């Protein structure tokens, strides 16, 4: 049965009122005239309609972190993200060499529900990263690159490894990058102490993404021989946490002017407190406090991530960069879909694509979410 969402404005052409026809969980077509006796499931009341957002780097939400190995945690995370406008995501976690890594097997085998955000494969931060730039990642989550460990990573992730963050300057990581290419895994530059030439070589070998730009790497405006120019000269996508803390307003503006909006992929690096009130929480056994969207360790040792949903990150990017609403939406939907090679069914509003949609009102607030063709109750 064909159903309709009436009275909305496309994010890339907001000047005209349109009606979206849905065929179950898919977009059927865009209509400029609502048929007589149309089966209307939602009146958008002239809101902007955009593709559901895609977060390629998020550790938890709704008080849940699937690194605990519980399927219920992945479902809670996915349900929370969906209500907040993120309709697809890469659950982000770590490989622990001394562990059985049952959490990765669970994340690779658990299917999310239609009213939850779609899991697009695991993002693994490490284990082949540089301890000098490990940031908040525990030492037990690092390993010397070798064939045995890589084989175990691939086995434990059950063919669901989507992104792996790698420090290309480490010995044998050229082989890791090559194997990522062979298995269809996005090799991402990050948690790295590489200089310009080492980073350049990594991108030439096949790295196609940079993990949280200017965080856990040499700073573009402070460190000599930083990798920034190598990243800029490559054609890689770049993850950015545009919360005003991980990147300040001046840096966000500069990166927007440098990369444009064809390569920027907005992320949250969000943790359990995403979607919850300010307060004290725990991340992988370490206590932290969440305040005004920023999460930082309770012992004062530094920031850990964000509590902001991707929609809020996107709107801060718009504010700090001065970009248009369309450009901001593109960096949180179209670009991550392209980065993950799922742009044939996600990230756009086109015939046959997934009916995963968000609605933005005249105050640029999230008004509603539709997932798999059905309205999500907030």
């Amino acid at each position: 049965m064909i159903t309709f969402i009436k009275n909305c404005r496309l994010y890339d052409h907001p000047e005209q009122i349109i009606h979206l026809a849905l065929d179950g969980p898919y977009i059927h077509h865009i209509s400029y005239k609502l048929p007589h006796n149309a089966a209307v499931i939602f009146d958008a009341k002239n809101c902007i309609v955009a593709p559901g957002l895609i977060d390629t780097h998020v550790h938890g939400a709704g008080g849940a972190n699937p690194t605990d190995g519980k399927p219920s945690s992945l479902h809670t995370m996915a349900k929370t993200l969906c209500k907040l406008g993120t309709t697809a995501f890469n659950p982000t976690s770590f490989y622990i060499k001394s562990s059985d890594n049952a959490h990765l097997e669970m994340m690779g085998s658990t299917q999310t529900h239609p009213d939850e955000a779609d899991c697009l494969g695991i993002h693994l931060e490490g284990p082949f990263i540089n301890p000098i730039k490990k940031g908040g990642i525990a030492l037990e989550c690092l390993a010397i690159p070798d064939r045995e460990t890589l084989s175990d990573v691939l086995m434990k992730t059950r063919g669901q490894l989507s992104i792996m963050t790698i420090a290309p300057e480490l010995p044998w990581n050229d082989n890791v990058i090559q194997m990522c290419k062979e298995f269809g895994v996005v090799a991402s530059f990050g948690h790295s102490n590489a200089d310009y030439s080492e980073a350049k070589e990594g991108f030439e070998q096949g790295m196609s993404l940079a993990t949280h730009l200017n965080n856990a790497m040499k700073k573009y405006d402070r460190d000599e021989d930083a990798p920034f120019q190598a990243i800029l000269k490559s054609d890689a996508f770049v993850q950015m946490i545009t919360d005003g803390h991980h990147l300040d307003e001046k840096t966000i503006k500069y990166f927007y002017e440098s990369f444009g909006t064809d390569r920027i992929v907005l992320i949250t690096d969000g943790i359990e407190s995403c979607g919850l009130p300010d307060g004290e929480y725990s991340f992988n056994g370490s206590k932290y406090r969440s305040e005004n969207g920023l999460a930082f360790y309770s012992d004062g040792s530094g920031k850990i991530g964000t509590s902001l949903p991707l929609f809020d990150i996107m709107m801060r990017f718009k504010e700090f960069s001065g970009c248009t609403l369309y450009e901001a939406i593109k960096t949180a939907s179209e670009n991550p879909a392209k980065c993950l090679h799922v742009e044939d069914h996600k990230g756009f509003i086109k015939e046959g694509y997934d009916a995963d949609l968000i609605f933005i009102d005249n105050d640029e607030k999230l008004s509603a979410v539709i997932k798999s063709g059905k309205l999500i109750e907030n």
Side-chain angles (χ1 to χ4, degrees):
M1 178 183 177
I2 304 300
T3 58
F4 282 84
I5 301 166
K6 71 176 184 178
N7 300 326
C8 44
R9 297 179 292 132
L10 285 172
Y11 70 110
D12 52 350
H13 291 95
E15 64 280 353
Q16 187 171 6
I17 298 294
I18 59 99
H19 316 284
L20 276 179
L22 309 182
D23 185 3
Y26 305 107
I27 298 169
H28 189 268
H29 68 275
I30 297 170
S31 176
Y32 295 93
K33 184 177 180 180
L34 190 66
H36 181 63
N37 294 329
V40 176
I41 61 168
F42 182 61
D43 183 355
K45 298 179 180 179
N46 297 349
C47 283
I48 295 285
V49 60
L53 308 185
I54 302 172
D55 196 343
T56 61
H57 192 142
V58 55
H59 294 271
N65 178 353
T67 296
D68 64 11
K70 300 176 182 177
S72 60
S73 294
L74 186 65
H75 287 299
T76 297
M77 178 183 180
K79 198 174 192 72
T80 302
L81 292 176
C82 191
K83 289 181 177 181
L84 297 170
T86 298
T87 58
F89 70 111
N90 295 111
T92 305
S93 192
F94 313 103
Y95 172 89
I96 305 169
K97 186 141 190 184
S98 60
S99 159
D100 62 5
N101 289 287
H103 63 291
L104 297 181
E105 296 189 67
M106 180 278 293
M107 293 163 72
S109 60
T110 302
Q111 297 293 313
T112 56
H113 300 148
D115 63 343
E116 300 172 350
D118 292 330
C119 178
L120 300 180
I122 300 164
H123 178 173
L124 207 55
E125 277 194 281
F128 309 129
I129 57 175
N130 196 317
I132 296 173
K133 294 292 185 180
K134 71 180 184 66
I137 299 177
L139 276 172
E140 65 179 358
C141 300
L142 277 62
I144 296 171
D146 59 37
R147 186 178 300 277
E148 179 184 359
T149 306
L150 179 59
S151 296
D152 193 49
V153 166
L154 294 172
M155 181 180 69
K156 293 294 170 56
T157 51
R158 295 175 173 260
Q160 296 300 309
L161 182 60
S162 183
I163 303 172
M164 179 183 276
T165 293
I166 301 166
E169 70 275 16
L170 298 184
W172 211 78
N173 265 349
D174 55 337
N175 295 292
V176 175
I177 295 169
Q178 183 59 40
M179 289 189 74
C180 282
K181 288 173 63 179
E182 292 175 5
F183 282 88
V185 176
V186 174
S188 187
F189 174 90
H191 288 280
S192 165
N193 200 43
D195 58 22
Y196 168 83
S197 61
E198 291 168 327
K200 180 174 181 289
E201 186 173 0
F203 288 109
E204 289 173 347
Q205 290 166 349
M207 304 186 91
S208 59
L209 178 65
T211 296
H212 42 52
L213 184 63
N214 216 47
N215 285 269
M217 62 182 69
K218 292 180 178 179
K219 305 289 187 182
Y220 86 99
D221 57 349
R222 189 185 68 192
D223 297 314
E224 290 186 13
D225 208 15
F228 177 77
Q229 286 297 324
I231 299 170
L232 184 61
K233 291 176 182 178
S234 74
D235 59 0
F237 288 98
V238 291
Q239 290 185 342
M240 288 172 51
I241 312 171
T242 55
D243 59 357
H245 300 286
H246 288 80
L247 299 174
D248 62 29
E249 296 182 32
K250 180 181 176 182
T251 301
I252 291 167
K253 178 75 170 177
Y254 176 67
F255 286 171
Y256 164 65
E257 293 171 347
S258 299
F259 290 95
T261 52
D262 286 338
R263 295 173 58 190
I264 293 171
V265 173
L266 299 183
I267 62 165
T268 62
D269 202 359
I271 49 181
E272 295 101 319
S273 51
C274 178
L276 298 178
D278 288 353
E280 292 278 347
Y281 299 95
S282 177
F283 178 69
N284 293 338
S286 298
K287 291 183 179 180
Y288 70 91
R289 182 161 186 82
S290 172
E291 287 185 8
N292 193 29
L294 179 66
F296 52 92
Y297 288 110
S298 299
D299 63 6
S301 59
K303 58 183 178 289
I304 181 174
T306 67
S307 299
L308 295 172
L310 187 55
F311 184 88
D312 289 7
I313 290 283
M314 178 181 77
M315 298 313 297
R316 289 194 184 189
F317 174 66
K318 177 180 179 292
E319 176 188 353
F320 298 152
S321 70
C323 74
T324 65
L325 179 61
Y326 163 65
E327 288 179 311
I329 292 168
K330 177 180 177 180
T331 61
S333 57
E334 296 181 11
N335 291 356
K338 290 178 180 178
C339 174
L340 296 171
H341 309 295
V342 296
E343 73 273 22
D344 61 343
H345 64 286
K346 287 190 179 295
F348 296 82
I349 297 178
K350 294 181 179 181
E351 179 180 333
Y353 276 57
D354 293 349
D356 300 340
L357 308 164
I358 62 170
F359 297 84
I360 305 170
D361 65 20
N362 289 334
D363 294 324
E364 297 190 342
K365 303 294 185 184
L366 181 65
S367 173
V369 178
I370 282 183
K371 174 67 176 62
S372 300
K374 294 186 178 181
L375 184 66
I376 298 298
E377 299 293 336
N378 285 314

